[in-house]
Structures are given as structure tokens and as C-alpha cells.
Amino acid sequence: MSKKLLNLLYQATSREVAPKVPMVKAHLFANDEAQLPTKSALDDLMENQWNQKPALEALEHPWVRKNKPSNILHIPCPSSCLTEEDFVDIFPINRERQYRVPHNTKKGLDVKMIKSRHPLTLNFENSYYLVFKNAIEASLYALETHNKALNGFRLKPSFVEPSIHAAKYWVSPWFLEKSPSPLKIKNDIFQLPTPKVPISVITRKDDHYRNLLNQLETTTQKVDSDQIHPNFDIINTLTHTDRRSRSVIVRNWPFGILPSTTNRLLWDYDVESMSPILSDITKNLSVHLITFTNPTMAKRFVRNYHGKKWDPIQWGHKEKPLHEPIQAEIAN
């Protein structure tokens, strides 16, 4: 009896359901590929996202609150060989982070590195400045990398408020649109420590750069804002990142090299300009700044000439090479 009832029920319902089956199939399977998950819940566990704190909580960390956060970090380090890539790579991968970085920076934070230099001699001043888009990202970087080591030196970052004093280590008259002649900078000013170098010499009394420095001190942003800080573009303008990336500081360049010899020597390089920074034969000081048309040429020059012992190439008017080999570095 029960089997007959089931058969009657099936016959009655199948006639009603049959026309609707194609519509149901289309709804369930038409976009099947698009609905496949890109990753499983296990992937999230492996990435440690479940255990990470929100980025804003970095501002509540006792060390951050104590040190008045900004979007600029100062890192003392006696090694001048570090690059921007080194500071980017030391930031931990996602599954090793304590804090959840913003979604658009999953691969890491955007870091702009500035080597601390004397504004006139361009000598390295044993520290680095890292500029971030906002104070949140700077705080994240400081907490995630604190006490990590680069080239054997522990990172001990500290926050820095943007100021004219700090900018003296970033800005140099050699990278302005019109490089100053050495004759316009008195020799005794070269001997001054960076904090005592007049800002008028660094900016070459250019009102545009002076105004930018004033804006640097007056431009502010809320600490918990995730927007790009207004001083980020100002610092980019002041530091002339593009020109620095294609400029090379050359130390121990021989004395008495004629311009025609330089042109012949660098015939296969696209040289934009070559400026003597320091040239004192009595003190064996010879520093030049060579600017190329692109960063590739600058890196190629460093690769070919850094550490090279000078071989005499002039006849009749012999050059006077220094005992030490040529030292060449990108002027970042």
C-alpha cells in the first residue's frame, strides 16, 4: 500500500517539477567557476590573520604613545651600504606580523629611504631616515622591526618631527635645479657640522625651497589618519629623489684630468653634468658629483669604477692620482 502511495506521489510531483529543473540547474551551475573560493579557511590560518591585531592598535602601544608618533623614523647606523630594498625586505612577511597591515599593502609597507648626509660635502652622517605615508604605517614598521639586525647592526628606530633641523640632513644645494659653483660656497662653510650650516646656503636663497621648508614644519595631520600625509610630497620635492637616483658621488678622482679626457673616458655613458664638490690637492681631497641621464647609467658607473685603482691615461699633461682607489656611490 505504501509503495503505491509513493508511486502516485512521485508521478504527481514529477510532472510539476520537471519543467523547473533546467532553471534550477542554470541557477546553480551557470556561474560555478566564478563562485569558486580563491583560498580556503586554512590559508587564512597559515597567514596568521586570525591572530593579528588591527593596524590602529599600533598607536596604542606604550612605546609608540611615549615617543609621539609621526610618519618619519630615524635609524642610527654606521653602515653606509644599506639600500631602500634592505629596509623593505626586513619587514616581516604576513604570517609573521603582529599587526594587520592595510589591505593595499599586503606585500609590505611603502618606504622612502633617505641617507643622512652633510648638505655640502655629501659625507654619510651615520643614520637613515625612513618616510612613510602616515604615522600608522611608521608605527607598524617600528614595532615589527624593532631590534632586528641589518648588516650586523640592530635597528633602533625613533620618531622624528619634520623640521628644518632634520631637513638639513636631506636637502643639498648640489641637487637643486641649478647646482651652485664651488666658488660661491666659502671653504670655511664646508668645515661646519651639519646643524650649523646656514639654511640659506643649502637652499641657495631660493624662496621656493625656503617656503617648502616652512610648510614642512607647519603641515599637520591627525595621528590616526590613514591618508597620505601632506609632507610626503613636500619631502619628495626637497630631496630630489629622481636626480639623486641618477647621480654618483665620486671620491679620489685624480687631479688634473682635462675635460676632453673625461669626455673620452666616459664616451659610452650619457653624462648630464659633472660638478667638483671638493678639490684640495694639499689635503688629498677630491670629490665630484656626476649626474647621468638615467639611474641605469649611474649604477653601471658604480659597478665599473668603485674600488678601481687609477691607471694614467693622459700624456704630456699627466694627471695626479691619489693613493687610494676610486670610491663611487649612488647619491641617494
Side-chain angles (χ1 to χ4, degrees), residues 133-166:
K133 290 182 178 179
N134 50 61
I136 298 175
E137 293 189 8
S139 302
L140 287 173
Y141 188 91
L143 295 175
E144 297 282 10
T145 61
H146 188 72
N147 273 336
K148 285 198 171 187
L150 273 177
N151 279 18
F153 297 100
R154 292 285 179 186
L155 297 187
K156 296 183 179 179
S158 59
F159 292 108
V160 172
E161 286 295 324
S163 64
I164 292 179
H165 172 76

Side-chain angles (χ1 to χ4, degrees), residues 52 68 77 106-107 149 192 207 214 271 273 292 299:
Q52 290 174 345
K68 193 179 180 183
C77 181
K106 283 290 182 185
K107 293 183 179 179
L192 294 175
D207 291 338
N214 291 333
V271 179
S273 64
F292 298 90
K299 292 176 182 177

